[in-house]
Amino acid sequence: MTSATLSPREMKRRRRLGADYVAPSPYSVRNALTRGDVFTRLSALVFGLGNFARRQFVKGAVLLALEIAFIVFMAVSGVDYLSKLPGLGDQKQGKTLVDGFWVYTKGDNSVVILLYGVCTVVLIAAFAVLWAVSVRSAYRAECEAREHGHAPTFREDLHELTDGRAHQLLMFLPTLGILVFTVLPLIFMISMAFTSYDHDHLVLFDWVGFENFGKVFSNSGGTVNAGLFVSVLVWTLVWAFFATFLNFFLGLFFAMVINRRTTRFKGFWRACFSMSIAVPQFVSLLVMRTMLQPTGAVNRLLMEWGWIDSALPFFTNATWARVTVIIINLWVGIPYTIMQITGILQNIPADLYEAARLDGANWWQIFTQITMPYIIFVLTPYLITTFTGNVNNFNVIYLLSGGDPTPIGSSAGKTDLLITWLYKLTVDKGDYNLGAVIGIMTFIVLAVVSLVTYRNSGSYKNEEAFR
């Protein structure tokens, strides 16, 4: 496609991206429906017809089979799922007495209706994408048959798919996995936030709009309210900040100490830190939780030595509990940081250090001008991932403190994160609708923080080389 055929919008995009610009495909749906022949246009109704007309029988058969499968699914089940989706079912389980025996009649299950309905809507969206693929494939076959005398054969298409378009083939399964195991559950969870699916409506529930969001962001009291949400959100962000950057800076310190030329037995020290990685995390956390109980080993030893008169409130005082989980998380997280930074330190070009020493730079200048910028540049995506993981760090909080201390009547403890609070609301209390709202807000917070941080980092703005 030449620059003369590009729209003003594409021309602007081309100037902005420069060498990274990729021109849009000429085989668009619009071109197919306006410039294609009768077989190409009829491919919008009968998938693969244009491919059959150009002797691409395998591709045409696959597209036609997928269309038939979708039509059969919609006729057998899909229409029924969609028809029940607006009401989420209303028939309760009943029972009638027949010959002295109770015969139960099956009722509707709103969870199943919602799940199948969402899946059907997603399949309809996928069918729309397949429709576009069918039309574009037919138009491309027409254009190539006109230019080269024949459309590519199945063998030629297969060769191109494993060579020139190998990236599409390799990314297909991961993309499909993300859609099925991430996007689809996310849509299901978002849908659940607009229903009355709680402990009082576990089988049949209805759409309630934004009522659940009103409960979360109101100050009317209850198990979930705006004050409690803000409190948990602030603690979650504080926890994620300290759990990420304390691990990073302390891990950086230990990695640099071990990596020094004068440090002996480097392998031994690295092995010592690696031992905490080898031990299952839940084992370490449960052992530490037991040791820090009022009657645990730590308090008993301190009292026997006469250092304290009463047990330290590791998990019974809010401040103590929060400091405790942050400190113990260092034991879990620092070894990972040491391994990451050790690999980076060993790959920093030695000529940078030599040039700095020749220019008279001291150790602090070398650290701030070479080592630290290089590490930050390389580890920015890792830090963002770690921050995200700490926001959702269910294991450390749930296994160590269980969210305690928890005020009487509150649905969240003082050390509960959004993720552990969500778990309690759903699994323990059965309020899946409120838990879905918390899940949506967690997703929004993580998406905003991650995207803003990454897009403003050197790793995103200058991917080609260290700046």
Side-chain angles (χ1 to χ4, degrees), residues 70-112:
F70 176 79
I71 294 174
V72 171
F73 166 76
M74 292 299 296
V76 174
S77 304
V79 174
D80 182 53
Y81 296 152
L82 289 179
S83 64
K84 293 182 178 180
L85 188 59
L88 295 177
D90 53 9
Q91 182 179 353
K92 296 182 179 180
Q93 178 178 318
K95 61 180 180 179
T96 56
L97 191 62
V98 179
D99 297 333
F101 296 95
W102 288 108
V103 177
Y104 290 88
T105 57
K106 185 178 180 181
D108 293 329
N109 190 320
S110 296
V111 177
V112 176

Side-chain angles (χ1 to χ4, degrees), residues 199 215-216 221-232 398 402-431 434-435 438:
H199 61 278
K215 292 180 181 179
V216 173
T223 58
V224 178
N225 53 69
L228 185 58
F229 173 77
V230 172
S231 175
V232 176
Y398 190 80
D404 292 336
T406 304
I408 298 175
S410 178
S411 60
K414 294 299 183 179
T415 57
D416 266 321
L417 307 180
L418 289 174
I419 186 66
T420 57
W421 188 26
L422 186 155
Y423 178 85
K424 291 181 178 180
L425 288 173
T426 54
V427 177
D428 294 344
K429 297 182 178 298
D431 293 331
L434 298 177
I438 303 301

